[in-house]
Amino acid sequence: MKEIYLDNNATTKVDERVFEEMRPYFCDLYGNPSSMHFFGGQVQKKVDEARSRVAALLGALPDEIVFTACGTESDNAAIRSALEVFPEKRHIITSRVEHPAVLTQCRNLTKRGYRVTELNVDGNGQLDLKELEAALDEDTAIVSLMYANNETGVIFPIEEAARMVKAKGALFHTDAVQAVGKIPLNMADSAIDLLSLSGHKLHAPKGVGVLYVRRGTPFRPLLVGGHQERGRRAGTENTASIIAMGKACELAHLHMPEEAGRVREMRDRLERELTALIPNTRINGGGTNRLPNTLSIAMEFVEGEGILLLLSEKGICASSGSACTSGSLEPSHVLRAMGVPFTCAHGSIRFSLSRFTTDAEIDAVIEALPPIISRLRQMSPFGREFLNK
């Protein structure tokens, strides 16, 4: 049974062209890029090339790119840096639907006396910029808001938020892990100070990330030691993965029109067919701007865990909008923040596509899911009541 992989917001396959680019830097060109000799120097040239490729995708300058181990490290480094840059400021603003890499850190900081404001979202998962404006004060050190939500694909009005924050004298950070490579970004025309991205979300390996630091932005490193990354992130560079990240960004830039076109068309067809074939469904975040590859669909009177298990039996890989897959009976914090009804939140499934997704795979999901939902509703007392009406 060949898998149908529609969980690309969790991780992506490494593009074979990316793998071939990084392959020589394991066993052949294994020098340390910080070494003075020619063997390390040739590796440093490839690291420099990778930095330029990442910068090109972001519309940034190469010296604004700091390589990290992952998106989580980038998020942590951005927020911790701002608090060191402004030690007198004790206020952080974020949103209720952020990735745990941001939310958990912010909530932990409240134990150290920091004041954290978590902005609400509406029923579509969208921010209210008036609430952000009201929350900003002279004590605000940093505002951290995700560019696009990992569960629903909802895109926040990040540029407007960044300009608002900058006008108040605070730093602005965005976790753009899900957005980079799917929608155009241009840091040259942006007010964003700090931006995080992760390699394994755009067909590079796991274990490599980037923190964009706008030139002139005050920054204090999270990891200290050596002089690597211009003193902004100590530790011997993960050269093979950094080189892979550069290639992945180059390819993402090349394939972005495909994300906006063919991938979006497949996502929209999947959405249309499933909502037509399965009664009592809703699209989480469907009333606002979303990433072109993401579909979060909620189906009443069923459990996400059961849906995923039956899909998996057919070789279809997706993820649940409910945290039940990790042993919790509570819906995800994103769906709770959106006010998704309890009967829908537990039956929410996320399908996330990539440029490797095919029309045949979408056809297979359209064929498989409606009978699964019907079967599960027959097993549920609430579902049977609904079906017998």
Side-chain angles (χ1 to χ4, degrees), residues 61-336:
L61 300 169
D63 65 6
E64 296 175 319
I65 303 303
V66 179
F67 289 111
T68 66
C70 57
T72 295
E73 183 194 327
S74 298
D75 289 342
N76 276 254
I79 294 171
R80 294 298 182 107
S81 173
L83 301 183
E84 288 195 32
V85 166
F86 300 121
E88 74 285 0
K89 296 187 176 185
R90 310 289 291 180
H91 183 218
I92 306 163
I93 299 176
T94 186
S95 83
R96 291 179 61 195
V97 298
E98 298 296 310
H99 189 278
V102 169
L103 265 186
T104 303
Q105 180 179 200
C106 289
R107 289 171 181 175
N108 285 344
L109 285 167
T110 63
K111 301 172 185 176
R112 295 174 49 192
Y114 287 93
R115 181 167 54 96
V116 176
T117 299
E118 295 182 10
L119 302 176
N120 296 302
V121 295
D122 63 18
N124 283 313
Q126 191 54 263
L127 280 177
D128 181 354
L129 291 181
K130 291 182 180 178
E131 186 182 359
L132 169 60
E133 186 175 26
L136 285 164
D137 59 34
E138 293 182 355
D139 196 36
T140 305
I142 188 168
V143 175
S144 180
L145 297 171
M146 65 192 345
Y147 211 111
N149 188 265
N150 51 299
E151 287 193 29
T152 63
V154 170
I155 299 171
F156 280 174
I158 287 300
E159 294 299 343
E160 296 93 324
R163 289 192 292 271
M164 187 181 298
V165 170
K166 295 298 292 178
K168 293 290 186 177
L171 292 177
F172 186 84
H173 165 255
T174 183
D175 178 337
V177 163
Q178 295 295 342
V180 172
K182 296 171 187 165
I183 56 177
L185 302 179
N186 186 5
M187 295 299 99
D189 295 330
S190 172
I192 294 168
D193 297 303
L194 302 149
L195 177 147
S196 303
L197 64 116
S198 181
H200 76 105
K201 306 296 187 180
L202 62 154
H203 306 290
K206 300 168 184 65
V208 63
V210 162
L211 178 63
Y212 159 82
V213 182
R214 176 176 295 281
R215 185 182 284 182
T217 299
F219 184 76
R220 304 290 184 271
L222 180 67
L223 296 182
V224 296
H227 63 276
Q228 294 90 352
E229 297 300 299
R230 295 174 179 254
R232 296 172 296 184
R233 200 273 189 182
T236 301
E237 297 92 338
N238 179 8
T239 52
S241 292
I242 286 171
I243 290 163
M245 176 70 130
K247 183 64 175 179
C249 285
E250 180 184 67
L251 292 173
H253 193 270
L254 178 67
H255 288 285
M256 205 177 302
E258 185 177 0
E259 290 275 355
R262 188 182 69 86
V263 173
R264 184 188 296 275
E265 289 170 4
M266 286 191 293
R267 190 277 309 271
D268 290 349
R269 183 165 71 88
L270 180 63
E271 179 178 313
R272 284 195 308 272
E273 294 291 339
L274 292 181
T275 52
L277 293 169
I278 304 171
N280 280 51
T281 60
R282 61 170 280 163
I283 304 303
N284 298 321
T288 191
N289 192 23
R290 288 176 293 159
L291 294 173
N293 79 314
T294 305
L295 170 61
S296 175
I297 182 169
M299 292 155 285
E300 284 193 299
F301 316 122
V302 289
E303 291 287 340
E305 186 177 40
I307 301 171
L308 291 180
L309 288 172
L310 292 176
L311 283 173
S312 185
E313 288 180 0
K314 295 182 178 294
I316 299 170
C317 305
S319 63
S320 178
S322 166
C324 61
T325 49
S326 61
S328 170
L329 295 177
E330 291 297 315
S332 79
H333 70 286
V334 173
L335 300 184
R336 290 201 307 271

